[in-house]
Amino acid sequence: MYYLSYVWISKSDAYYITGRKVSLPYARGLLFSISLGYLLPTLAMYIPGLTTPTLEFLIFLWQPSPGFVNILLFASSLLLSGSSAATRSAKNPDVTHLKRVYAAAATVCAINHFATLYVCATSADPQLSFQYVFMPSREAWVTSTTAGLHYIFQVDWWGCFVPTLLWAWITVYDVHRVLLGHASVVQLMKWAVYVVTLTVVLGPGGMLAVVWSWREDRLVMIESGVRGTTQKPKTA
């Protein structure tokens, strides 16, 4: 539903021409808020030697983590509301902070991706094979409650994964359309290959972070009135 909403809202060129800028205090507080609100609760669930009640509590605590991020972001933005005159006068000062978020997200997702692939490729446990981990089995899901939950999570993962690839591709198409005035079939095919390649190399999360970092630079170009190219203009 979120992806469909994005496609509907962004169909007009006006979406890209104005409104890119993120409030500087929010941009500065994003990395801290996301790390503490998302990453910390996730890592806590994987601490070795936890008792079952403790693990269940941490899993419960992980569920409302998006709310934690927003609370932390609001609090940190108040603390970081002050900025120097040089920062206030800088052009697009939020971009530097946003790019750090994208870089951190790509790094974390890539590490998780590499670790998952390594375990699946090297483990002798049949329940850690690529097929068991990634491919839903209608024959196995009725054998136990655990197998049923595993099946549900696999379907849920594929339901997120495939639309995310399509969303990234549509995003690239839209930027090409606005910057160049068109997007050729060759360009669309080329970017489809790029999106898939990035997904294989960095994982879906890493791919999305890289695409969004690229998109941020191009939105700055669009707002600056640069058209006819998707390459960043060289600065003296």
Side-chain angles (χ1 to χ4, degrees):
M1 293 299 293
Y2 179 84
Y3 295 163
L4 289 175
S5 298
Y6 169 86
V7 172
W8 176 259
I9 293 171
S10 64
K11 64 180 182 179
S12 169
D13 288 0
Y15 175 88
Y16 297 92
I17 296 172
T18 60
R20 184 215 59 81
K21 188 175 181 181
V22 177
S23 167
L24 185 56
Y26 276 90
R28 294 172 66 186
L30 264 174
L31 186 57
F32 167 78
S33 303
I34 292 173
S35 300
L36 203 60
Y38 278 137
L39 190 57
L40 199 59
T42 301
L43 293 175
M45 293 189 295
Y46 293 92
I47 297 174
L50 294 175
T51 63
T52 300
T54 301
L55 181 59
E56 290 175 346
F57 173 75
L58 290 173
I59 293 173
F60 164 77
L61 198 63
W62 176 82
Q63 300 293 327
S65 55
F68 300 156
V69 173
N70 282 281
I71 293 172
L72 289 167
L73 182 58
F74 176 75
S76 62
S77 67
L78 294 178
L79 295 174
L80 298 171
S81 58
S83 58
S84 64
T87 300
R88 289 194 299 268
S89 62
K91 190 175 183 179
N92 302 308
D94 60 317
V95 173
T96 299
H97 303 284
L98 296 177
K99 300 279 278 187
R100 289 172 183 166
V101 174
Y102 299 138
T107 301
V108 171
C109 291
I111 291 173
N112 179 68
H113 178 65
F114 296 148
T116 301
L117 296 184
Y118 176 79
V119 170
C120 291
T122 59
S123 177
D125 188 342
Q127 290 193 348
L128 293 177
S129 65
F130 283 105
Q131 182 175 353
Y132 186 87
V133 170
F134 291 104
M135 302 307 297
S137 172
R138 292 185 61 85
E139 291 75 22
W141 77 274
V142 295
T143 58
S144 68
T145 302
T146 301
L149 288 173
H150 179 62
Y151 178 83
I152 291 172
F153 279 122
Q154 286 175 312
V155 172
D156 183 57
W157 184 84
W158 281 105
C160 293
F161 171 65
V162 174
T164 297
L165 293 184
L166 182 59
W167 186 42
W169 181 77
I170 290 173
T171 297
V172 174
Y173 161 75
D174 278 338
V175 171
H176 272 82
R177 175 178 57 79
V178 176
L179 275 174
L180 302 178
H182 70 282
S184 68
V185 174
V186 173
Q187 289 172 323
L188 295 178
M189 293 299 294
K190 180 178 70 174
W191 270 102
V193 173
Y194 284 169
V195 167
V196 172
T197 303
L198 282 172
T199 303
V200 173
V201 175
L202 301 177
M207 174 277 297
L208 197 60
V210 170
V211 169
W212 234 245
S213 180
W214 175 88
R215 174 183 181 270
E216 200 73 49
D217 289 330
R218 272 67 199 173
L219 290 184
V220 171
M221 292 169 59
I222 291 171
E223 286 195 349
S224 301
V226 177
R227 297 294 178 94
T229 178
T230 56
Q231 301 299 317
K232 291 174 63 178
K234 295 182 179 180
T235 56

